[in-house]
Amino acid sequence: MLRFFKSSLPAQLLALLILVLALRLPLLWLGLPVTAAELRALLVGERLHDGAMPYRDLFDGTAPLAAATFAVLDALLSRPVWLYRVFALVLLLAQAFRLNMVLNRYDVHPERGYVVTLTYLLVGSVSTDLDTLSPLLLGHTFVVFSLSALLPTSREGYDNRRLFRAGFLIGLGALCYLPLSLFVIVGLFAVVIFAANSFRSSLLLLCGFFFPYALVATFFFYIGAMPGFVQFHLQPGLTDLIASGLPAGLQLRLLIVPGLVLVLGLLRSLGTSLGLVFQVKFRQMMLVWLVVAMATAAVEQGAAPGVLVLLLPPLAYFSLFLWQRYQHMWLLELGLLLILNAAVVLRYRAHVPGLEAVLQMPAESRFGLHPDPRYASIRNQTLLILGQDDRAYFHNRPATPYLDWALSQVDFGHLTEYAAVVRIAQRIGTTPPDYLLDQAAIVPRLKQLLPGLFAPYEPTGMPGLYRRQVKQ
């Protein structure tokens, strides 16, 4: 199988697509529960599609370009969970094929073919975490596409447009997921080792990186959302993001197979001498890429949705050394088959009785979200949840800016301050929701502070749920 995919013929490409779809689509057809990150993305897309402006009419920290993407998908189809899954698969395929094309075009390794794409997609299938659309997966696509612009096309070095485009693409990635801004380090390192005029080239790269942020900041300034953009997107920086992916312990166990492939490829690459200076420099750049990817993953302690995708480009590159010509080729074929089998076993372990207990790895589906049965009778209503549990939004719509409870503490956490109470009245009074779900037990306090707004809400008999009674 390995020898087959070392060719660059169209038949190999078709076989690769069939293999990957056969590996991934059955589980998508069986169904995956909606994750916390997906539910938040659906809610953000719905609110923006309804006309809310991010950071002004919505308390949420989703990066602006990711939020705009969710709004576009919601415009195509309401609550499009299956469309999210298809789009995530398309993004992963685009990353794999783009990386493979760049490595082949620039001769970074003596051997060509579709082995990079094969490894990228096989290892990316060991977890269902990459079956769901996340801001990290979306932003990482821009980072992968920036790689070709970081490589010089001639001995004279770069031209201005390529460096600016590289920085611009990394900036777009950061507008999807802020920690991806760390990949500017990879760009600056590439400039140092490839460019003749490092200082001027670095400035071009940085100008390209900050340009999309300048455009977005100008837009938010004119619509009055600049304070929220700073508070919810820029101010948290790289240290105060809200992780909603898999538990870090499960992520680490799922990284055993990718980590083993990466380590073996690294060891093989360090013992391989490369003939061209460019190939040596490219290997150095991918080592820096690996370090930056690990730093980006560490921002949220490895719990960010889709964190595995960060390791796939360096892993796929270093795997070229692992799959290169060897005295005992049957060992390499066996190794590739073991990776394929490991991906199948890990991906479908929830559907084989007892396999989760043997592997001591609970399936990712166990960490998905399901509608809260206590509020199953409430459907297609506007709702405000005063608390962390968002499950009641499965069949209902948010109607106020207060979507993220942690960020909403800027108002609800300061009820002793007159200014905070006034802001709550202004932000809810125009479109009061049909129901309040009081998980923080603050509705009695709100009735005292704002009786005109909250007095019409009466208990329904369900835990913490209040319904707005409209006077006839």
Side-chain angles (χ1 to χ4, degrees), residues 302-319:
V307 70
L308 173 61
V309 76
L310 291 168
L311 297 179
L312 293 182
L315 182 152
Y317 166 73
F318 288 113
S319 70

Side-chain angles (χ1 to χ4, degrees), residues 95-235:
Q95 293 178 28
F97 286 117
R98 178 67 178 184
L99 180 66
N100 196 107
M101 183 188 71
V102 171
L103 298 188
N104 285 345
R105 177 185 295 177
Y106 287 90
D107 294 320
V108 301
H109 191 272
E111 297 184 0
R112 295 190 176 193
Y114 291 110
V115 178
V116 167
T117 304
L118 176 66
T119 307
Y120 199 105
L121 295 174
L122 283 183
V123 177
S125 300
V126 299
S127 169
T128 60
D129 200 28
L130 295 183
D131 289 307
T132 60
L133 181 62
S134 65
L136 174 53
L137 180 62
L138 180 62
H140 190 259
T141 306
F142 291 107
V143 174
V144 171
F145 273 70
S146 72
L147 177 60
S148 61
L150 290 174
L151 304 178
T153 56
S154 65
R155 293 183 180 180
E156 286 74 23
Y158 297 101
D159 63 58
N160 298 346
R161 292 171 297 176
R162 290 175 61 84
L163 274 177
F164 186 87
R165 184 168 70 250
F168 184 80
L169 289 171
I170 297 174
L172 292 180
L175 282 175
C176 295
Y177 182 72
L178 185 57
L180 289 175
S181 59
L182 293 175
F183 277 89
V184 170
I185 299 173
V186 178
L188 293 175
F189 182 81
V191 166
V192 170
I193 62 175
F194 289 127
N197 190 335
S198 300
F199 180 74
R200 178 176 176 273
S201 300
S202 298
L203 288 180
L204 284 170
L205 180 75
L206 292 175
C207 286
F209 172 76
F210 286 113
F211 183 70
Y213 264 96
L215 293 178
V216 169
T218 302
F219 171 74
F220 287 136
F221 175 79
Y222 277 105
I223 66 171
M226 191 63 184
F229 177 62
V230 174
Q231 182 179 7
F232 301 147
H233 177 67
L234 296 180
Q235 189 173 329

Side-chain angles (χ1 to χ4, degrees), residues 23 122 126 334-347:
L23 177 63
L122 283 183
V126 299
L334 178 61
L336 186 61
L337 288 176
L338 288 175
I339 294 175
L340 175 59
N341 289 329
V344 173
V345 169
L346 291 174
R347 186 173 180 81

Side-chain angles (χ1 to χ4, degrees), residues 11-90:
Q12 278 73 5
L13 177 60
L14 179 61
L16 180 59
L17 286 173
I18 294 174
L19 174 64
V20 172
L21 293 177
L23 177 63
R24 299 178 69 93
L25 288 185
L27 191 57
L28 293 177
W29 182 263
L30 291 172
L32 293 172
V34 175
T35 65
E38 276 185 313
L39 179 59
R40 176 58 59 84
L42 290 169
L43 296 175
V44 169
E46 187 176 66
R47 288 288 292 142
L48 297 188
H49 180 216
D50 289 340
M53 284 296 174
Y55 313 119
R56 187 190 70 184
D57 307 322
L58 195 62
F59 281 56
D60 181 74
T62 304
L65 189 53
T69 302
F70 300 149
V72 171
L73 294 177
D74 191 82
L76 297 176
L77 188 68
S78 179
R79 300 274 176 114
V81 177
W82 68 268
L83 187 57
Y84 275 41
R85 306 281 169 80
V86 171
F87 192 42
L89 177 58
V90 170

Side-chain angles (χ1 to χ4, degrees), residues 457-472:
Y457 288 94
E458 299 293 339
T460 62
M462 287 181 275
L465 187 65
Y466 294 80
R467 182 176 181 178
R468 187 169 180 264
Q469 304 293 334
V470 180
K471 295 182 180 181
Q472 299 297 331

Side-chain angles (χ1 to χ4, degrees), residues 372 374-375 378 382-390 392-393 405 409 412 415 428 433-448 454 457-467:
D372 194 329
R374 295 177 297 176
Y375 310 107
I378 308 301
T382 56
L383 176 68
L384 170 60
I385 298 179
L386 302 172
Q388 295 281 5
D389 190 350
D390 291 343
Y393 281 135
W405 181 244
Q409 292 305 298
F412 288 102
L415 294 179
I428 299 180
D434 299 326
Y435 288 86
L436 295 177
L437 182 53
D438 186 18
Q439 300 171 357
I442 61 172
V443 166
R445 176 64 172 159
L446 291 173
K447 286 187 175 185
Q448 294 177 354
F454 289 98
Y457 288 94
E458 299 293 339
T460 62
M462 287 181 275
L465 187 65
Y466 294 80
R467 182 176 181 178

